[in-house]
């Protein structure tokens, strides 16, 4: 997600070049263009409330999975949970936020470590990761996504079901069966790069080579929620070991997620991005949606007049979704 641009920046003109960037400058220009518009304010409130609601629902689901893993003895109970450095992104640029993180990391920014990022959707976790990658330079960082592990595990579980005449998921996801599937996943250096190797049940592949094909096929996609709900502990444990390996190898591992799960990733470099003015989150999300819709409508190289007209048209269309 984009960050809020600095509060003291000059207004940005919404022209073709800015629209085609589809980044923080585009969102800022749309907010400037619609500042004071009651309809935009209504849409922004709707989007902001939706962000908070979705995040709360997602956090609750993840916590249930973690609690089940604790009850089953897969994960320990964290009491107390780890502490985070809190960074309010309101009025800060991506570089400002990175400065705060890199200053706190000290020598680890050059020697290797694990950076854990949390925060509401829209506070800039993805932008921070991208900026840290740029600031630290090529070959110095590695991003991590638990999603790749969940997809790999789902592929194995779904394949096992197919080979066994599709029994109920309860039979496919017993503790013993999940442990068997996890033993088919190996994290290490393959072909010169850190990767996950999936080997078992007729599958023999590196995640980096199948993440956009096999791991996004219907067999996996439709079953991820079922598998993820029952394997939070195993995946978090796998992720913690993988992150440590890469950090010990001198890489800065960039990991974003919900506290319920990333609390189990060992690291002293933990940051929660917050937005002291929640209304701004809604403005940014509304502006991002409008930016994409306007570009799709007018295409590249559009005139200022065409862009302005489309912006009003798209705003009116989006407002039809708002109760």
């Amino acid at each position: 997600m984009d960050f809020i641009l600095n509060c003291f920046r000059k207004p940005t003109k919404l022209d073709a070049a800015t629209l085609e960037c589809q980044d923080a400058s585009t969102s800022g220009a749309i907010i400037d263009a619609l500042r004071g518009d009651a309809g935009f304010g209504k849409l922004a409130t709707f989007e902001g409330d939706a962000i908070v609601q979705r995040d709360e629902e997602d956090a609750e689901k993840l916590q249930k999975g973690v609690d089940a893993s604790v009850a089953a003895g897969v994960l320990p109970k964290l009491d107390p949970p780890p502490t985070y450095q809190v960074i309010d992104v309101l009025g800060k640029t991506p570089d400002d936020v990175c400065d705060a993180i890199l200053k706190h990391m000290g020598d680890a920014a050059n020697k290797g470590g694990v950076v854990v990022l949390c925060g509401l959707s829209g506070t800039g976790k993805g932008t921070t990761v991208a900026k840290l990658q740029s600031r630290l330079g090529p070959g110095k960082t590695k991003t991590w996504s638990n999603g790749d592990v969940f997809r790999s595990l789902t592929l194995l579980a779904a394949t096992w079901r197919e080979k066994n005449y599709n029994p109920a998921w309860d039979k496919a996801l017993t503790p013993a069966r999940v442990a068997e599937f996890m033993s088919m996943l190996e994290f290490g250096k393959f072909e010169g790069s850190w990767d996950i190797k999936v080997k078992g049940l007729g599958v023999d592949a590196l995640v980096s080579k199948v993440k956009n094909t096999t791991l996004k096929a219907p067999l996996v996609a439709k079953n991820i929620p079922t598998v993820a709900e029952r394997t939070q502990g195993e995946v978090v444990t796998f992720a913690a070991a993988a992150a440590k390996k890469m950090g010990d190898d001198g890489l800065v591992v960039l990991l974003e997620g919900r506290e319920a799960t990333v609390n189990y990733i060992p690291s002293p470099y933990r940051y929660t991005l917050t937005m002291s003015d929640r209304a701004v989150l809604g403005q940014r999300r509304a502006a991002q949606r409008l930016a994409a819709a306007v570009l799709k409508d007018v295409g590249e190289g559009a005139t200022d007049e065409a862009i302005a007209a489309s912006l009003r048209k798209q705003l009116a269309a989006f407002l039809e979704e708002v109760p």
Side-chain angles (χ1 to χ4, degrees):
M1 293 297 170
D2 296 329
F3 274 164
I4 302 306
L5 296 180
N6 192 291
C7 293
F8 306 105
R9 65 173 175 77
K10 294 180 179 179
T12 306
K13 180 181 179 182
L14 184 59
D15 54 18
T18 303
L19 178 64
E20 289 161 24
C21 287
Q22 292 289 298
D23 61 7
S25 66
T26 316
S27 300
I30 287 177
I31 291 172
D32 288 335
L34 296 174
R35 196 174 301 282
D37 184 283
F40 181 68
K42 184 177 181 180
L43 178 63
T45 298
F46 173 75
E47 293 290 347
D49 290 345
I51 287 173
V52 174
Q53 182 179 346
R54 282 195 300 269
D55 277 28
E56 289 177 348
E57 290 173 352
D58 289 347
E60 184 178 349
K61 291 176 183 176
L62 282 177
Q63 189 61 56
K64 285 182 179 178
V66 169
D67 289 345
S69 293
V70 171
V74 178
L75 289 176
K77 183 176 177 59
L78 296 179
D79 189 17
T83 58
Y84 288 73
Q85 299 292 314
V86 178
I87 302 174
D88 184 356
V89 303
L90 182 65
K92 291 182 176 66
T93 66
D95 277 314
D96 292 335
V97 176
C98 287
D99 286 342
I101 291 173
L102 294 174
K103 180 180 179 180
H104 180 258
M105 289 185 70
D107 291 342
N110 297 314
K111 295 181 178 179
V114 180
V115 174
V116 178
L117 283 174
C118 295
L120 281 175
S121 298
T123 51
K125 299 185 296 295
T127 300
T128 300
V129 166
K131 181 60 70 171
L132 284 170
Q133 288 179 299
S134 175
R135 291 274 294 268
L136 292 172
K140 300 294 185 181
T141 64
K142 181 73 173 179
T143 58
W144 176 266
S145 170
N146 283 351
D148 288 339
V149 189
F150 281 122
R151 291 184 186 92
S152 300
L153 198 52
T154 301
L155 173 63
L156 291 169
T159 300
W160 181 88
R161 287 184 74 234
E162 285 191 336
K163 289 178 176 292
N164 288 274
Y165 306 102
N166 291 309
W169 277 103
D170 284 345
K171 293 184 179 296
L173 295 174
T174 63
R177 197 79 64 199
V178 170
E180 180 184 352
F181 297 150
M182 290 302 301
S183 72
M184 299 175 188
L185 302 182
E186 179 185 358
F187 182 79
K189 277 192 174 179
F190 301 98
E191 300 180 6
S193 300
W194 289 105
D195 209 337
I196 300 171
K197 186 172 185 178
V198 187
K199 188 171 184 179
L201 299 174
V203 180
D204 188 355
L206 296 177
V207 164
S208 64
K209 296 190 175 183
V210 297
K211 64 188 304 180
N212 293 318
T213 53
T214 305
L215 295 184
K216 287 191 176 179
L219 179 67
V220 173
K222 68 182 181 181
N223 293 312
I224 284 179
T226 300
V227 176
E229 182 181 357
R230 306 189 191 194
T231 58
Q232 290 287 343
E234 289 82 0
V235 170
V236 168
T237 302
F238 186 91
K244 185 179 186 305
K245 282 185 179 181
M246 292 186 287
D248 290 347
D249 194 42
L251 291 172
V252 174
V253 184
L254 305 172
L255 191 152
E256 56 176 297
R258 309 285 183 190
E259 286 189 22
T261 54
V262 297
N263 279 350
Y264 287 91
I265 307 297
S267 174
Y269 312 114
R270 300 176 175 277
Y271 310 94
T272 296
L273 305 187
T274 65
M275 178 69 69
S276 54
D277 184 354
R278 290 279 182 90
V280 182
L281 283 177
Q283 291 177 3
R284 293 302 288 180
R285 178 59 60 85
Q288 289 162 0
R289 291 189 62 202
L290 286 166
V294 171
L295 181 60
K296 182 178 180 180
D297 183 39
V298 302
E300 297 182 357
T303 64
D304 292 355
E305 293 76 13
I307 292 172
S310 179
L311 179 60
R312 290 293 173 182
K313 182 176 71 173
Q314 302 306 325
L315 175 59
F318 284 175
L319 283 171
E320 293 180 1
E321 305 173 5
V322 180

